[in-house]
Amino acid sequence: MLLPLLFLAGCEQDRIKTLCDSSPSLCADLHVDSWCKFERSDLIRARRQYSISPDDASAYSLMVELDRYHDCLEPLLGIEYTKRKERKNDKLDAVIKAREDLRQLEQKTRTSDYPYLQLWHWQRHGDHQARIGFLNQAGNPLMQQPELQKALAELLAPRDKQAAEQALHQALGLYPAGATIDTGIIANLINLYISGKRYSDAWVWARVLVSLDQQAGVNLNRMDAYARFDEQQQQDMQQQADHIVQRLKNGTYLQR
């Protein structure tokens, strides 16, 4: 596998170099050595997409990549280079420029009604108007993404647990076959069931969580602290859990 991977990496670098040569502005103010090369490449591609189509979706993608690039480089600024001091200087300049570009985009998108941007402004800056706008878009087709439904559920949970539960189930139903499922959605569902004293549901979904993520760190025996189930009940609930897992893996969770 090594040679194909090296070949693909080389092709990727050639593509990035071609972009930089044809549109120098895409690569301006970025560092030049091999540190954070994937974040640098992703930022260049996001810049290109935004230059072609400067809409809210492209702005959000560019903000994400600016943030990732900034966070990757910033810890390196403490490294002292004994030979080429300019390496540190170009990273410092790149971090400053990334931070400024991100600040400008945040200001430009502050009143956007694009759900991802509303969520960004609420989560990053506590913008209550963005939070209200996000909640008001619950029925918007743009909200039909697992991460947005998960975020919606987290906002709804304190005042409307039933709506939060529906959003979490909807989030799970949006995954296609073979997708990697965010098991945090299931963990949130379990917490809802426990807080609502729906212990059989919590038992089932705890088994689903463990089936999908062996490293989840769930202590299944703790279910006994909430309710005890006889052997037949456990067999029936395990069958439910197995059925749910299969539907999730097949991308048919909400299909009956």
Side-chain angles (χ1 to χ4, degrees):
M1 289 295 292
L2 182 59
L3 287 177
L5 289 174
L6 289 174
F7 176 75
L8 289 173
C11 290
E12 176 62 18
Q13 290 308 305
D14 288 343
R15 283 193 289 267
I16 293 299
K17 184 179 186 304
T18 299
L19 282 177
C20 292
D21 289 343
S22 61
S23 303
S25 62
L26 298 178
C27 308
D29 306 308
L30 303 182
H31 74 293
V32 295
D33 63 23
S34 61
W35 288 103
C36 302
K37 64 180 180 180
F38 296 114
E39 288 77 8
R40 181 178 182 273
S41 295
D42 289 343
L43 176 54
I44 291 169
R45 283 191 290 268
R47 280 179 166 182
R48 180 175 183 271
Q49 181 58 36
Y50 186 68
S51 70
I52 296 171
S53 177
D55 55 20
D56 283 342
S58 296
Y60 174 74
S61 295
L62 181 53
M63 287 164 62
V64 169
E65 298 307 337
L66 281 166
D67 192 53
R68 289 181 62 242
Y69 179 74
H70 173 277
D71 289 351
C72 183
L73 278 186
E74 192 172 41
L76 302 176
L77 299 183
I79 298 176
E80 291 293 338
Y81 293 96
T82 57
K83 295 183 180 180
R84 297 183 61 186
K85 295 286 186 178
E86 67 272 16
R87 287 185 179 175
K88 183 176 180 179
N89 292 336
D90 79 350
K91 287 184 180 61
L92 177 60
D93 292 341
V95 165
I96 292 172
K97 183 62 166 60
R99 187 183 299 141
E100 177 59 20
D101 287 351
L102 180 57
R103 186 194 68 78
Q104 290 180 7
L105 277 172
E106 286 183 326
Q107 182 63 27
K108 185 176 181 179
T109 61
R110 193 169 59 84
T111 59
S112 169
D113 60 358
Y114 185 59
Y116 282 101
L117 287 170
Q118 291 174 323
L119 192 59
W120 176 288
H121 288 292
W122 161 245
Q123 292 179 335
R124 301 296 185 100
H125 303 293
D127 187 327
H128 285 276
Q129 285 303 117
R131 178 183 182 275
I132 292 170
F134 182 80
L135 284 168
N136 287 340
Q137 296 215 68
N140 189 328
L142 289 176
M143 291 286 287
Q144 298 306 304
Q145 299 293 331
E147 60 269 33
L148 294 180
Q149 289 295 312
K150 178 186 179 187
L152 178 63
E154 290 170 353
L155 290 176
L156 290 171
R159 60 184 179 86
D160 192 340
K161 288 184 169 27
Q162 183 177 358
E165 180 186 348
Q166 290 175 351
L168 291 171
H169 285 299
Q170 180 67 14
L172 293 173
L174 291 168
Y175 283 104
T180 299
I181 293 172
D182 176 4
T183 52
I185 297 171
I186 299 174
N188 289 352
L189 200 53
I190 294 169
N191 288 334
L192 274 182
Y193 288 144
I194 290 175
S195 67
K197 298 183 179 181
R198 294 168 57 182
Y199 300 128
S200 62
D201 289 324
W203 193 102
V204 169
W205 282 93
R207 268 65 184 177
V208 172
L209 178 56
V210 170
S211 293
L212 294 176
D213 183 5
Q214 298 294 327
Q215 308 302 316
V218 176
N219 183 353
L220 297 177
N221 292 327
R222 288 191 62 187
M223 286 295 109
D224 290 339
Y226 301 107
R228 294 185 178 276
F229 303 102
D230 62 35
E231 185 174 345
Q232 185 58 55
Q233 288 175 316
Q234 291 187 36
Q235 288 179 4
D236 293 342
M237 290 189 296
Q238 185 62 58
Q239 286 182 353
Q240 292 179 45
D242 293 341
H243 186 50
I244 290 170
V245 169
Q246 197 58 53
R247 297 208 316 269
L248 288 171
K249 290 181 177 179
N250 293 341
T252 59
Y253 174 63
L254 292 182
Q255 297 178 19
R256 295 293 182 231

